[in-house]
Structure formats: C-alpha cells, structure tokens
C-alpha cells in the first residue's frame, strides 16, 4: 500500500503564483487607462452595448485596440470592432465599440471586457508595478418585464481627470439615469478579472479625506500627496422602487501633477423645484483665489438633448470671478419622483495642469395641479369634475375628502396631500381607456352623504415613472401639486338624526334619547300632505328594524323637530341603530319618499389588565364628533370626568387590581342645518371593568455554562439575572429544556424567586449535554414571562486514540481503547496491516482490540498498523461525522 501526496495551493497563493509568473512577461502591452460599459434597450431583450476604453496612444500596444472581445453574461461573447476613436490629449485616446445583442430570457447578466494590460506606474495599485495587470470592467443588465424597460446610467464626464498635489480635488461622473432610477455611488478597487481585484489596492493617499457622495457622486480628495497616476473604480447602482436594477463599474484614472495654482471654488447653490409650465433659474458663480481665468460649464441630465436646460453665457469665462445664469423650463417628460442633479464645473487656465472644482444642486420637476375642480349635488352625493391634467400623462387621479376646511395650501415644492391635513384618499381613478376619468361621484359608497356635514375635497394627479422614450416603468409614481380645495353641503331634503344618547343602562329597562330634525326643503307640488315620519330601531348588525314612534303632519310647515325616549332596551349588551323614514302622498297614496342616514348609539367596550382599564368605543353617526369625555364613577356613586380625548380609546392607569371601576363616555359633536352650526352630545352605556394582573414579568437574562473544560463532569450550570426595573412581583422561576432545536420545550424544574441559579445534572447528560434552556419568571397572578431568553449550548465531543498498546497479557494496556471520550454516538473503525489488509473492524465506541486478527484469531505481529475511523458525534442539530486516520503500534 502506498500513499499519494498532493500539493494544494490556496486560491490566494495561486493568485500570487500567477502574478509572479507574469512579472517575467516582457511585452509592450501596457496601455489601458480607464473604461466602462453602457447599454441602451432597443426592444424587449434586444440591447445596444457600448464599451468605451481610454488608452495611451503612445504605446505600441495601442494598435491592439482595433477590437475587443465582449462577454454578454449569457455564456456568449463576440469580437467587437472599434467604431470610433477620439483623441482627448497627447496621452489619452478614447475608443468606442458598439454591438447589438439579444438575450433569450429574462434575468441578470454581467457584461464585461478584459484585455492586457494597464499602463505602468499606477501609484495606488501593487506598489506601482502595474504593466502586467489586466484591465477589466463590468456592467450588469437586469431584464424583468414586470419592471419595464431598463437603460444604463449615462455618464457625461469622462473617466480621465487631472488634479494638483496638495490641492483639493473634485470630480463628479455627472451621471443621470434615463429611466429616472435613483443612483447610489461607491468607490471600490478596480479589477483584473471578474471577482478578482487588483493586488495591493489602496485608496489614493490624502491629507485628510478621500470619499464619494453616496447620493450625488461627488468625489472629494483633500488633498493628493504624491505626483503620479492613480486608478479607482466607481460602482454606480440603479434602484427602482427599492429594487436594484443592475450596476455599472467605471474604472477611472487621475493624473496628479505639480501645480502652482489653487482650484477655483463654485459657490453653493440651493436646491429647488419647478412646476411644469414654469421655469427655474439660479445664478452660478465661481471664484479663483489666484485671480486666473476661470471657465464655468454645466453637466448632468438636465443639459442632455431634449431637456432644454441652459446657462448663459455659454461658455462662461471670467478673470478671477465668473458667473452664469442657469435656466430650465422642463417639459412634462421630465416629471419624475427623484430630483435632477445639476452640476457645474469650474476650471482655471493656470500654468501646468488646470485646477478644477465642482458643485451641484438638485431640481425637483413637479406636475401642475388639476384645474377647474367643481362639485355638484346629485341626489345624496356630489359629482366632482375637473379638467384633464395638462400633461396628458397622468396614470390616475386621487380623490381626497375631509370634513370641514383644512385651511391648508401646498407649500413650495410640496406634492401630494400629507396625512396631517386630515384628508383621506377615497378613490383612485385610472385614466387608461376610461373616458370618465375626470369625474367622480361620491355618495359614501352608496350610503349617501350626510346633510349635517360640510365636505371638502382635493384632487392629486399621479404620474408613473417613464424613460426618455415615454415607456412606463415599474417604480415610484410622482404626485402633482394638490388641487384647490372645494367644500359643499348636501341640501337637507330628508330628516336627519342629530342625537342618539344612552340615558339608562340596563338589560331590560335601558333608555336611549333620540332627536331628529325636519328637512329644509321639499317639493310640495309633487309630494302632497299628509306627511308621516317613522322612527325605526334595530340592534346594530341585525338589520331588523322595529317602529319606535310615528308622527303625522297635515302640512310641510307643520313638520316639527322631534325628540323621543326609546325605552325597555338592553343597553347593557346591545348597540342600537336608528333611521327615520319620511312618507308623503303620491297619487292619493302615502308612500315612502326618503330615508335619513343611520345613527347609532355610542357603544363602549373595556379590557382590563394590570392596574389598567383600556376603554374603546365606536359609533356610526351622520354628524361630526370632535372630542370625547371619559367619566369614572367615584366613591359616592357619581360620575366624574377624568379625561378628554379626540381618540376613540383611553387607558385609565394607576388603578388598584381586583377593584371594580365603572365608566361613561360622552361624545361631543357638531352638525349643520341651514348653514348654521349646532352641537350635540351623546352618552355611551355604563360599563365596568376590574383590573387584573395580565402582564407577564420580564424574562431574566440567562447564562448557561457547560462543563466542556472539565472532563468527567456532565452538568450544565444555569444562572440568571432579573432585568433592572422589571422584576415586578416574581414569586418563582420555571426552567424549561429541549434537547434538539427541532424539539418542543418541556418543563424541567422550578425554583423560588430567591434562587437565581440551577444545576442540571440529570443522568441523560452523560450521553449529551446539548440542549436549549429558557427560564420564565412567574408572578403572583401566575403570569409567565415570554420565551425570548432561550440559550442553546453545543456539545463538546472528545474522541482521541493512542498510538501504541502492549497486548502481552500482563493486564496493563492489553487493549487498544480510546482515551476517555464523551458525546459520541458510535464509530466505524477499520484497522489495516502494512499490506492494506484489514485485520479488525468494529462499531464499538470502546474498540477493545486485543491485537489479534479478527478472522483467524491469531496474534498480529508487532509493528505499525493503520486505521481509519469515522466518529459519529452528537451536536445540537443532530449527529455529525468526523474522520480520524492514524497509526497504532503493537509492542509485546
């Protein structure tokens, strides 16, 4: 038998072996400076890919840039010829490669290209030895029809830049997303291949700061310490409604030279907003501390074709100081959820390399409000109408309503309607294939609006995100400025209930006081006397109405407002609903004409817990309740007010457990009649509750110490500490246990509150100490703390074998056995002689080999034997296997 030895090189070691082998590569292929990959969606899964590299035209290897191999991330690749070549300076040339590729399925794909090699002398990579390091960039495409079309970010600033030693350096890739996605920027090390970073990368050395703005992409380096070239990579990730839509990695190069001039400074510019149809302007200024000529230019998506942003003069230039006027009158296509970033760059014309600085601000493009918003009463509702949004791009119109005027008007740059105004969205009307999208009928979902309430409305347009070609995307919708507020009242042409107040709480003799008012108007030419008004009542939720009272009138002028006491009710257990039906004479017959809105009594409920009664109440009434007074019965049997609230719940705290407390709730409301404001107050039934301790104690902080460092001990030591200010009335602790994580906890033991420890020394722990514990505090009301302090401990198996034994019959070391072991379920062992023939097999954990051949029974000769042993060790998640291999020597 023989053993084969293998040399294994770890991935990191292999990488440096590769690097060392490349050092000897004598090639002039040292020309790559920077690059990136962009893409544009043509249709569905068909994309135009644009790879851009920046190389050294003075290198002999630059001739090799006539084509590159582009990988599409779907296991396909292609040689792409260069389509354009632009000389940016004597030491930088731009190479552009374009190709169209169609993917066969949705998914996430990584575009990449790889070539040899980078220029030499990049200071912050591999100690400056970079001529043998490959150049690699990648961009991911996410294709998902549910998210809509997707394009890469557009970077309007090239990835080649200059800075000065010891001077502040600014750079912004001036990126914008054609689809309106949000962009997140970060600096990462450049790569030499997918998943492999350049060796020994460090961020460029600075006096104090080297960072990039995560949201605006503004790179600030304060300040370069050494002259030379540096490379960094900027990863730009697109997010659409919180979902990542791919990323682009730009590998860029920065030249740092010795400069005598200081960079100019672009003054801060405040962010702003503009409503489509209006324009926004900002004066942009830059100052040069050296008094040199300064040029000022604008960058970013607002200046792209069709986006119409301008600055004047253009170009802007001045000695020492320069100023220009930024103006933008965006169109409807520029409406989007995220603001537009506008970047201005100042560059001086000093000797040597020009010094540059940048600054940016954000402009939110907002949709205008809808116009000509009107209301018209139709039956018991309002027909709301408005003009179509001026952009003709709204996906829907959101209708909001509240009671009474909010006296709110949108602030500058404020879109939508904040909840603090009290408006609630009641409808969203889709515009697609809907000719009636500019109207809505509000009749309270068929129940009718109350004539006692003043209703106020506003409209907001909602715009879906669109890309530059107008395709709708999945993402965050933009909301317009809110419309003007309109308010209106339903004409009181029916009776209206204005009071439903419980006056007596009883199971059999309860009473409720009901009031209703007559209609303000009636078509008495069509509806003739006599007139009849019937007050009806039902237990709420049963819809089984019974007549409470009937009143007849011989003329409309004789109709009076009515107050009635409804008696013999079970107000202790039931809530009641009331309605008034109006009848008039039609063709000589008394027939129903109209029905009031329903009104219920105020119904309270109570939940009792530790030293607290939690009250809540509900109602359904046609008037507006503004506040509620909570009363509690005192020791004299009288109700005292204890709180006033605008909520429909109240917690009465600091009470004495096991003592009964009784309550009433009074609602305070208003209603309108003939445009006059009246008040109404209504009581709930009396309700009582007895606080009891239902609050569990806080779980103690548990620690479990296993005996892993002490052979021969098989017990777990538990100790716990009550949480500060939370021990409460704990009277004892219960200990629970489970052996495996998949088991259920079972009760193990309990100790008095004076004890804060427990030793689990059950016999079963000799087989395995693994398990989970939790300790629950139990209070005087038998409430247990929650199971959130669970502590699990793992076994610490041991199984070690000797390397020699002496089976000579002297009673000492006659058997091959393990050292003391623990927490082993079983073993599978085979012992071989030097020819590879097995002489002994066992599953016995104690082994007990006596040095004889298991089959023949003959003593094995002295010498070295080999064994393989699989040990099955017990852990918290079950049994795990561990392999042992070694030798055992027989000496007699």
């Amino acid at each position: 038998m023989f053993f084969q030895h293998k040399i294994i090189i770890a991935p990191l070691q292999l990488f440096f072996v590769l690097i060392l082998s490349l050092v000897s590569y004598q090639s002039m292929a040292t020309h790559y400076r920077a690059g990136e990959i962009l893409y544009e969606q043509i249709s569905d899964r068909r994309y135009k890919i644009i790879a851009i590299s920046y190389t050294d035209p003075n290198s002999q290897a630059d001739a090799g840039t006539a084509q590159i191999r582009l990988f599409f991330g779907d296991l396909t690749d292609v040689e792409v010829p260069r389509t354009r070549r632009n000389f940016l300076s004597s030491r930088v040339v731009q190479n552009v490669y374009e190709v169209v590729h169609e993917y066969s399925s949705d998914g996430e794909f990584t575009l990449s290209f790889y070539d040899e090699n980078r220029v030499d002398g990049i200071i912050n990579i591999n100690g400056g030895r970079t001529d043998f390091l490959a150049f690699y960039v990648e961009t991911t495409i996410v294709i998902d029809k549910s998210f809509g079309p997707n394009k890469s970010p557009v970077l309007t600033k090239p990835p080649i830049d200059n800075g000065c030693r010891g001077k502040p350096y600014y750079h912004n890739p001036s990126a914008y997303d054609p689809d309106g996605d949000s962009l997140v920027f970060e600096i990462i090390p450049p790569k030499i291949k997918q998943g492999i970073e350049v060796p020994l990368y460090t961020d460029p050395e600075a006096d104090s700061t080297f960072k990039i703005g995560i949201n605006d992409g503004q790179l600030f380096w304060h300040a370069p310490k050494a002259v030379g070239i540096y490379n960094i990579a900027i990863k730009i990730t697109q997010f659409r409604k919180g979902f990542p839509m791919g990323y682009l990695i730009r590998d860029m190069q920065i030249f740092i030279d010795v400069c005598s001039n200081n960079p100019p400074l672009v003054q801060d510019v405040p962010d702003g907003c503009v409503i489509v149809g209006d324009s926004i302007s900002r004066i942009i200024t830059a100052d040069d501390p050296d008094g040199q000529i300064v040029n000022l230019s604008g960058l970013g998506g607002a200046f792209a074709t069709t986006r119409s942003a301008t600055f004047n003069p253009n170009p802007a230039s001045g000695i020492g100081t320069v100023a220009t006027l930024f103006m933008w009158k965006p169109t409807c296509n520029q409406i989007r959820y995220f603001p537009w970033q506008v970047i201005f760059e100042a560059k001086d014309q000093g000797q040597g390399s020009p010094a540059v600085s940048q600054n940016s601000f954000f402009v939110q493009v907002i949709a205008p409000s809808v116009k000509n918003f009107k209301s018209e009463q139709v039956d018991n509702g309002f027909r709301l109408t408005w003009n179509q949004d001026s952009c003709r791009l709204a996906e829907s119109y959101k209708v909001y309503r509240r009671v009474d005027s909010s006296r709110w008007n949108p602030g500058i740059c404020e879109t939508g309607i904040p909840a603090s105004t009290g408006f609630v969205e009641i409808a969203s009307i889709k515009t697609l294939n809907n000719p009636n999208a500019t109207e809505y009928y509000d009749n309270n979902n068929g129940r009718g609006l109350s004539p006692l309430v003043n209703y106020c409305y506003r409209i907001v347009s909602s715009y879906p995100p669109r890309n530059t070609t107008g395709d709708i995307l999945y993402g965050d919708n933009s909301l317009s400025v809110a419309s003007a507020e309109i308010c209106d009242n339903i004409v009181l042409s029916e009776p209206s209930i204005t009071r439903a107040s419980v006056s007596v709480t009883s199971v059999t003799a309860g009473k409720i006081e009901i009031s209703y008012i007559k209609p303000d108007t009636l078509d008495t030419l069509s509806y003739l006397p006599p007139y009849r008004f019937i007050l009806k009542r039902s237990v709420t939720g049963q819809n089984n109405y019974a007549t409470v009272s009937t009143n007849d009138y011989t003329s409309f002028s004789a109709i009076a407002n009515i107050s009635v006491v409804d008696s013999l009710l079970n107000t202790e257990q039931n809530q009641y609903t009331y309605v008034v039906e109006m009848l008039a004479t039609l063709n000589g017959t008394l027939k129903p004409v109209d029905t009031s809105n329903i009104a219920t009594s105020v119904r309270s409920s109570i939940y009792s817990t530790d030293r607290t009664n939690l009250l809540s109440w509900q109602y359904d009434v046609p008037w507006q309740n503004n506040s509620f007074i909570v009363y509690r019965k005192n020791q004299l049997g009288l109700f005292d007010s204890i709180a006033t609230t605008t909520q429909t719940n109240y917690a009465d705290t600091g009470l004495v457990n096991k003592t009964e407390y009784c309550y009433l709730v009074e609602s305070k409301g208003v209603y309108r009649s003939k445009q006059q404001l009246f008040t109404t107050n209504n009581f709930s039934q009396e309700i009582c509750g007895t606080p009891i301790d239902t609050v569990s104690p806080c779980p103690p902080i548990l620690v479990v110490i296993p005996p892993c460092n002490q052979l021969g001990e098989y017990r777990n030591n538990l100790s716990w500490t009550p949480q500060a200010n939370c021990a409460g009335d704990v009277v004892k602790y219960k200990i629970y246990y489970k052996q495996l994580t998949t088991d259920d906890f079972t009760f193990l033991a309990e100790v008095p509150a004076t004890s804060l420890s427990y030793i689990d020394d059950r016999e079963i722990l000799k087989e395995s100490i693994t398990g989970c514990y939790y300790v629950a505090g139990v209070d005087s009301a038998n409430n247990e703390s929650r199971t959130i302090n669970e502590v699990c401990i793992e076994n610490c198996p041991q199984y070690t074998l000797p390397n020699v034994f002496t089976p000579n019959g002297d009673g000492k070391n006659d058997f091959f056995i393990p050292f003391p072991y623990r927490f082993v379920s079983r073993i599978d062992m085979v012992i071989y002689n030097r020819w590879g023939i097995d002489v002994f097999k066992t599953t016995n954990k104690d082994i007990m080999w006596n040095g004889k051949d298991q089959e023949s029974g003959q003593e094995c000769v002295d010498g070295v034997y080999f064994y393989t042993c699989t040990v099955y060790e017990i852990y918290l998640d079950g049994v795990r296997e561990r392999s042992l291999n070694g030798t055992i020597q027989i000496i007699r």
Side-chain angles (χ1 to χ4, degrees):
M1 181 178 182
F2 66 92
F3 296 90
Q4 181 179 11
H5 295 279
K6 296 181 180 179
I7 299 175
I8 300 175
I9 301 178
L12 185 61
Q13 293 170 315
L14 179 61
F15 172 72
F16 282 106
V17 168
L18 175 63
I19 293 300
L20 289 172
S21 67
L22 286 172
V23 169
S24 62
Y25 174 59
Q26 299 299 318
S27 171
M28 297 301 294
T30 58
H31 56 298
Y32 273 92
R33 296 191 182 278
E36 65 214 14
I37 304 174
L38 311 176
Y39 62 87
E40 299 176 5
Q41 187 172 15
I42 298 174
S43 62
D44 290 339
R45 302 189 184 107
R46 190 174 176 84
Y47 287 82
K48 178 182 178 182
I49 315 297
I50 307 103
I52 306 173
S53 70
Y54 297 81
T55 58
D56 181 0
N58 302 306
S59 169
Q60 294 179 11
D62 191 57
T65 60
Q67 66 278 324
I68 61 169
R69 179 162 293 278
L70 186 62
F71 295 83
F72 298 111
D74 59 355
L75 303 180
T76 65
D77 57 89
V78 69
E79 287 282 349
V80 183
R82 185 171 57 209
T83 56
R84 292 194 306 277
R85 185 167 168 85
N86 306 309
F87 284 85
L88 305 184
S89 70
S90 61
R91 55 183 178 178
V92 180
V93 62
Q94 180 194 61
N95 308 281
V96 181
Y97 310 85
E98 297 181 2
V99 66
V100 173
H101 181 71
E102 186 164 3
Y103 290 90
S104 60
S105 66
D106 285 6
E108 182 173 325
F109 305 95
T110 300
L111 300 166
S112 64
F113 83 83
Y114 158 92
D115 205 351
E116 297 179 349
N117 285 328
R118 295 175 181 269
V119 297
D120 197 17
I122 302 174
I123 292 177
N124 61 319
I125 296 175
N126 200 38
R129 182 65 192 280
T130 54
D131 55 335
F132 58 85
L133 296 180
F135 179 83
Y136 172 87
V137 288
E138 68 183 29
T139 293
T140 59
I141 295 179
V142 174
I143 305 176
D144 187 334
K145 290 183 179 179
S146 63
F147 285 94
N150 187 24
K151 297 179 181 178
S152 70
V154 175
L155 287 65
T156 60
K157 178 80 173 172
I160 299 289
D161 209 358
N162 300 82
C164 298
R165 184 181 64 183
K167 310 292 185 182
Y169 169 81
Y170 303 86
H171 175 85
N172 197 306
S174 304
Y176 70 91
D177 192 274
D179 303 321
D181 297 331
S182 64
L183 301 179
V184 173
F185 301 82
E186 60 179 312
I187 294 173
I188 65 172
K191 299 176 183 290
I192 60 172
K193 212 163 188 180
Q194 186 169 8
I196 303 178
E197 298 174 354
V198 295
L200 304 178
Y201 167 83
T202 60
D203 282 342
E205 190 177 5
D207 283 344
S208 60
T209 303
F210 183 84
K211 65 178 182 179
I212 194 168
I214 188 172
N215 295 316
D216 61 12
Q218 184 63 58
L219 176 65
F220 178 56
W221 184 0
H222 190 285
K225 281 193 170 185
V227 170
I229 56 175
Y230 299 82
N231 270 68
I232 63 170
I234 300 176
K235 183 179 181 181
I236 306 172
T237 306
Q238 304 161 267
F239 286 91
R240 187 174 297 178
K241 206 168 185 179
F243 292 93
M245 293 297 295
Y247 61 82
L248 176 157
I249 295 179
R250 158 178 274 195
D251 194 316
M252 76 168 291
Q253 189 164 91
I254 307 168
F255 295 88
I256 299 299
D257 297 317
V258 175
C259 312
S260 58
N261 56 320
N262 295 289
L265 179 66
V266 182
Q267 301 300 324
D268 290 337
V269 181
D271 297 339
C273 66
V274 57
I275 298 173
V276 169
D278 296 336
S279 62
I280 183 173
S281 62
R282 292 286 189 270
I283 296 176
I284 316 297
T285 61
D287 301 301
D288 187 81
D290 301 321
Q292 297 171 335
I293 296 175
V294 182
N295 297 320
L296 192 60
S297 57
L299 303 166
F303 298 104
T305 305
T306 75
R307 296 204 175 91
S308 66
T310 62
F311 57 98
N312 186 24
N314 179 13
S317 182
I319 300 176
T321 299
V322 61
T324 190
L325 177 64
F326 165 81
M327 291 197 66
W328 192 19
K329 187 175 183 180
T331 66
C332 295
N333 287 328
Q334 275 86 67
I335 297 170
R336 66 183 212 182
Y337 183 80
F338 294 103
W340 295 84
Q341 185 181 15
V342 180
I343 303 163
F344 274 88
E345 179 178 273
K347 182 184 294 186
D348 68 20
Q349 295 184 12
Q351 294 181 351
S353 297
V356 177
S357 71
Q358 295 169 327
N359 210 337
S360 66
F361 60 99
F362 290 92
V363 177
Q364 184 78 59
V365 179
I366 297 172
S369 62
V370 298
K371 304 298 190 246
N372 200 28
F373 184 31
K374 297 178 181 179
S375 67
E376 174 190 10
Q377 181 176 343
V378 177
D379 297 328
N380 287 334
F382 290 117
R383 179 176 176 265
L384 306 172
T385 60
W386 57 92
N387 290 350
Q388 185 178 0
D389 70 291
S390 57
C391 286
R392 304 293 195 269
L393 294 176
E395 178 186 64
S396 63
Y397 298 102
K398 298 180 180 294
V399 183
Y400 292 80
R401 184 184 72 196
R402 62 159 284 152
V403 174
D404 290 331
S405 174
S406 64
R407 295 178 176 82
W408 166 82
N409 281 308
I412 298 174
C413 300
E414 186 171 16
T415 61
I417 300 178
S420 59
T421 63
F423 278 99
V424 176
E425 183 182 335
I426 61 171
S428 181
I429 304 162
K430 300 294 184 181
T431 60
L432 184 64
N433 300 323
N434 183 5
N436 298 316
T438 56
E439 64 178 62
Y440 176 71
Y441 180 59
D442 179 25
N443 67 346
N444 203 21
N445 295 319
R447 293 181 54 187
L449 296 175
S450 171
L452 306 181
V453 172
N454 182 36
Y455 294 97
C456 297
Y457 298 89
R458 287 184 185 265
I459 303 288
V460 171
S461 307
S462 178
Y463 294 80
R466 284 182 168 86
N467 61 17
T468 52
T469 56
D471 300 310
I472 293 179
L473 310 173
Y474 174 83
D476 295 293
N477 278 28
S478 303
L479 298 180
S480 71
V481 177
S483 71
E485 180 182 276
I486 60 172
C487 299
D488 211 341
N489 285 89
I490 295 290
V491 175
L492 188 59
S493 58
E494 60 189 34
S496 290
I497 300 174
T498 58
R499 193 159 195 255
S501 178
V502 178
S503 56
V504 175
T505 301
S506 171
V507 174
T508 58
K511 296 181 180 181
I512 297 180
E513 298 175 0
I514 305 297
S515 298
Y516 63 90
I517 58 176
K518 65 181 182 179
D520 289 338
T521 62
L522 183 67
D523 183 1
T524 55
L525 296 178
S526 300
Y527 302 107
L528 303 176
Y531 304 106
R532 176 170 294 172
F533 290 80
I534 305 174
L535 175 64
K536 295 182 176 182
R537 168 246 302 144
S538 173
V539 175
T540 300
Q542 294 186 5
N543 202 31
N544 184 18
Y545 285 93
T547 297
V548 176
S549 67
T550 301
N551 292 277
D552 294 322
Y553 302 95
T554 57
S555 67
F556 181 75
S557 60
I559 299 173
N561 297 333
I562 296 295
S563 293
V564 175
V565 176
D566 188 15
S567 304
L568 304 178
L569 303 175
N570 182 359
T571 53
E572 184 173 307
Q573 298 175 337
N574 295 330
Q575 182 182 33
Y576 291 92
T577 300
Y578 293 88
V579 68
V580 179
E581 189 176 87
M582 181 175 69
L583 296 83
T585 303
L586 293 171
N587 301 321
T589 304
L590 202 61
K591 295 182 178 181
V593 173
D594 216 336
T595 302
S596 72
N597 294 100
I598 65 168
T600 67
S601 56
V602 178
R603 180 70 185 173
S604 294
S605 59
I606 195 167
Y607 172 75
S608 298
T609 183
D610 187 25
R611 302 180 65 197
T612 301
N613 281 325
L614 301 172
L615 287 94
S616 61
W617 49 94
Q618 56 185 6
Y619 55 87
D620 188 353
V621 294
W623 61 86
Q624 177 73 10
N625 283 327
N626 297 323
S627 63
F628 306 90
I629 301 175
V630 180
Y631 297 87
R632 186 176 66 201
K633 186 178 289 187
N634 60 25
Q635 294 180 349
L636 300 177
L638 302 175
F639 281 98
D640 288 334
S641 62
I642 58 172
T644 298
T645 178
T646 58
Q647 307 300 314
T648 55
N649 54 74
Y650 175 74
D652 190 16
T653 60
L655 306 178
V656 178
N657 284 344
K658 300 181 181 180
T659 300
E660 184 179 68
Y661 297 85
C662 297
Y663 303 87
L664 287 175
V665 175
E666 180 185 12
S667 66
K668 293 283 191 178
V670 294
Y671 66 90
R672 294 178 182 272
S673 177
K674 295 182 180 179
Q675 299 303 312
Q676 297 184 54
L677 199 63
F678 298 89
T679 61
T680 179
N681 66 312
N682 299 271
F683 286 92
S684 72
Q685 88 284 10
E686 181 180 335
I687 192 169
C688 301
T690 302
I692 56 173
D693 186 358
T694 61
V695 178
S696 300
C698 295
I701 300 169
L702 175 62
V703 175
V704 181
I705 301 176
C708 288
N709 58 351
Q710 301 178 36
L711 278 172
E713 283 201 14
Y714 300 95
R715 62 182 187 177
N716 291 323
N717 294 289
L718 285 69
S719 61
W720 55 89
T721 305
Q723 293 193 42
N725 303 318
C726 203
D729 53 347
V730 171
V731 295
K732 61 183 177 181
Y733 292 100
K734 287 186 176 181
I735 299 99
Y736 293 86
Y737 168 83
K738 63 180 179 181
Q739 186 174 34
L740 300 177
T741 55
T742 54
D743 294 341
D744 294 327
F745 276 106
T746 57
F747 173 74
L748 180 61
E750 71 176 42
V751 297
T754 54
S755 179
L756 299 178
S757 63
Y758 176 77
I759 296 176
D760 182 10
D761 56 0
R762 293 170 295 153
E763 190 71 17
I764 193 176
L765 267 62
K766 292 183 178 180
E767 297 295 326
S768 171
I769 61 166
T770 185
C772 300
Y773 297 87
Y774 82 86
V775 176
V778 183
D779 65 17
S780 56
N782 212 35
N783 299 306
E784 286 192 21
S785 59
R786 294 178 295 162
T787 315
I788 60 173
N789 63 344
E790 175 183 336
V791 175
C792 297
I793 59 168
E794 191 59 275
N795 261 339
C796 39
Q798 288 188 351
Y799 198 80
T800 306
L801 299 173
N803 58 9
V804 65
F805 77 116
T806 58
N808 54 15
D810 65 356
K812 299 178 181 179
N813 201 23
D814 284 338
F815 292 92
F816 178 39
I817 60 175
F819 292 113
Y821 63 87
R822 59 183 177 188
F823 312 138
V824 173
S825 172
R826 62 186 176 90
I827 68 166
D828 282 322
M829 171 174 271
V830 181
I831 299 177
Y832 306 88
N833 62 22
R834 60 182 176 175
W835 293 282
I837 299 172
D838 56 279
V839 297
F840 183 78
K841 294 181 180 179
T842 187
T843 59
N844 182 359
K845 294 181 287 186
D846 293 318
I847 306 176
M848 299 299 294
W849 184 38
N850 59 5
K852 295 181 179 181
D853 186 293
Q854 198 168 34
E855 290 189 5
S856 68
Q858 299 295 317
E859 289 186 347
C860 296
V861 299
D862 288 9
V864 176
Y865 293 78
F866 303 91
Y867 65 81
T868 62
C869 181
T870 301
V871 184
Y872 296 88
E873 299 173 327
I874 303 169
Y875 285 92
L876 188 62
D877 57 356
V879 175
R880 303 179 194 171
E881 297 180 15
R882 181 166 65 93
S883 295
L884 297 177
N885 299 286
T887 61
I888 177 71
Q889 184 175 6
I890 294 178
I891 302 176
R892 287 188 174 85

